[in-house]
Amino acid sequence: MDLRIFTEPQQGATYDTLLAVAKATEDLGFDAFFRSDHYLHMGDVDGLPGPTDAWITLAGLARETRRIRLGTLMTAATFRLPGVLAVQVAQVDRMSGGRVELGLGAGWFEAEHRAYGIPFPQDKFDRLEEQLAIVTGLWATEAGKTFDFHGKHYELVDSPALPKPAQAKIPVLVGGHGPTRTPRLAAQYADEFNIPFASVEDSERQFGRVRAAAEAAGRGADDLICSNALVVCVGRDDAEVARRAAAIGREVDELKANGLAGSPAEVVDKIGRYAGIGSRRIYLQILDLTDLDHLELISSQVQSQLS
């Protein structure tokens, strides 16, 4: 089971804060540092000092880390044109020496689109499908050849399909709860399927749909990595768990029901339940980015037991 650190910087974080978390992620032996792609805070926080752009952040971290994988859960297709996104991600992959992964989603938070003047189309899923086809098609085009695409929303003519990433194939993540189109898109384009903030039972059902879709698309049922994203709140004792829950404005019982919370032993046990349904990777949603001791505890007393 891989453990990856997943951050939500729109809730309030500077680049320096994210750099400190990324370096701790690397030093403590976690597999990867991922971040959300949002421009507006959510819930009862002020979001100060304001948003950071996902791919600009990852470009900086690409030069300041050496081992960890870097990526997004999920880049919003509404924020970027697909040809531009392919260039950006390929460049950051080069800057990192081949450590980038692209999670790509349809985009959903209408308020942030209004706040920053970003169009919020109604047919977001159709646009996502075309974006996946274009981004993966550009990267897969042989050097010296061109790429064309004629869709309902995007058209590319005689694209040189450059630059190429450092990796032969950048891993692509698709995720969500949708029962039909989401598994089909994952089966067609993704290397990994991620379901966010879902119970063991709901995850098992969705993983089954994805495996069936993969087989229908001519792939093996286990060709895709299945993964979860879950909020985490670990403490050495009940008081420490309660303190960490209060710091992120959550209740302990709710966190235990809907995430990974409690003592290291409790969290290891619950991770084992996800592993039992075929989850091979968990993105640990860290909401208090100043609490690096939390990461150390997870590394020493949770991750160590899983390895």
Side-chain angles (χ1 to χ4, degrees):
M1 175 68 75
D2 291 335
L3 294 187
R4 294 182 159 189
I5 299 303
F6 169 43
T7 62
E8 302 270 11
Q10 76 277 357
Q11 299 302 87
T14 65
Y15 173 76
D16 286 340
T17 299
L18 295 172
L19 176 59
V21 174
K23 286 188 171 180
T25 297
E26 185 157 86
D27 293 343
L28 293 169
F30 292 104
D31 182 60
F33 173 94
F34 271 59
R35 60 157 292 162
S36 60
D37 187 17
H38 286 293
Y39 292 123
L40 190 67
H41 63 84
M42 303 168 196
D44 190 23
V45 298
D46 57 25
L48 293 175
T52 51
D53 181 83
W55 285 102
I56 291 176
T57 298
L58 293 174
L61 297 179
R63 306 303 293 174
E64 299 195 72
T65 58
R66 292 291 176 265
R67 177 188 60 80
I68 51 173
R69 308 289 294 176
L70 301 166
T72 50
L73 284 181
M74 299 284 187
T75 288
T78 49
F79 290 173
R80 297 166 180 86
L81 297 171
V84 175
L85 179 62
V87 170
Q88 291 172 323
V89 177
Q91 183 179 8
V92 178
D93 192 53
R94 286 280 178 186
M95 293 168 70
S96 72
R99 293 183 285 123
V100 158
E101 304 185 10
L102 171 64
L104 187 58
W108 62 270
F109 190 20
E110 187 173 1
E112 70 184 338
H113 292 73
R114 291 197 306 267
Y116 285 94
I118 303 168
F120 190 70
Q122 295 304 306
D123 50 355
K124 295 184 295 300
F125 209 92
D126 289 341
R127 290 172 182 269
L128 170 62
E129 185 163 5
E130 290 192 15
Q131 287 220 2
L132 284 164
I134 292 167
V135 171
T136 57
L138 286 168
W139 291 338
T141 299
E142 293 180 21
K145 296 186 176 180
T146 60
F147 176 82
D148 291 85
F149 183 87
H150 305 283
K152 178 181 178 183
H153 302 288
Y154 305 103
E155 182 167 347
L156 285 75
V157 179
D158 291 335
S159 172
L162 297 171
K164 297 303 182 191
Q167 298 175 86
K169 186 179 190 308
I170 290 180
V172 172
L173 292 76
V174 169
H177 295 260
T180 306
R181 295 184 73 183
T182 297
R184 178 180 62 79
L185 280 190
Q188 187 171 358
Y189 294 107
D191 302 281
E192 178 176 338
F193 175 79
N194 178 270
I195 185 166
F197 315 119
S199 67
V200 174
E201 294 75 20
D202 287 346
S203 298
E204 185 173 27
R205 281 189 288 271
Q206 188 70 332
F207 290 165
R209 296 182 188 114
V210 170
R211 292 179 182 119
E215 290 184 325
R219 300 177 66 178
D222 295 322
D223 278 0
L224 280 80
I225 292 172
C226 287
S227 64
N228 291 85
L230 294 161
V231 63
V232 65
C233 180
V234 187
R236 297 171 180 85
D237 52 38
D238 290 345
E240 190 167 78
V241 175
R243 175 176 63 79
R244 288 200 163 107
I248 60 174
R250 304 279 284 269
E251 298 292 332
V252 172
D253 288 346
E254 179 269 324
L255 287 168
K256 287 188 176 184
N258 298 314
L260 301 172
S263 68
E266 288 179 286
V267 170
V268 168
D269 179 70
K270 192 163 185 181
I271 289 174
R273 292 172 57 198
Y274 281 97
I277 62 163
S279 183
R280 292 162 55 188
R281 183 172 289 158
I282 291 184
Y283 294 80
L284 302 173
Q285 186 195 42
I286 302 292
L287 295 175
D288 183 355
L289 299 181
T290 64
D291 187 3
L292 298 183
D293 181 60
H294 193 197
L295 297 185
E296 194 284 326
L297 176 64
I298 296 168
S299 173
S300 64
Q301 297 195 32
V302 175
Q303 182 172 242
S304 61
Q305 295 189 57
L306 298 174
S307 61

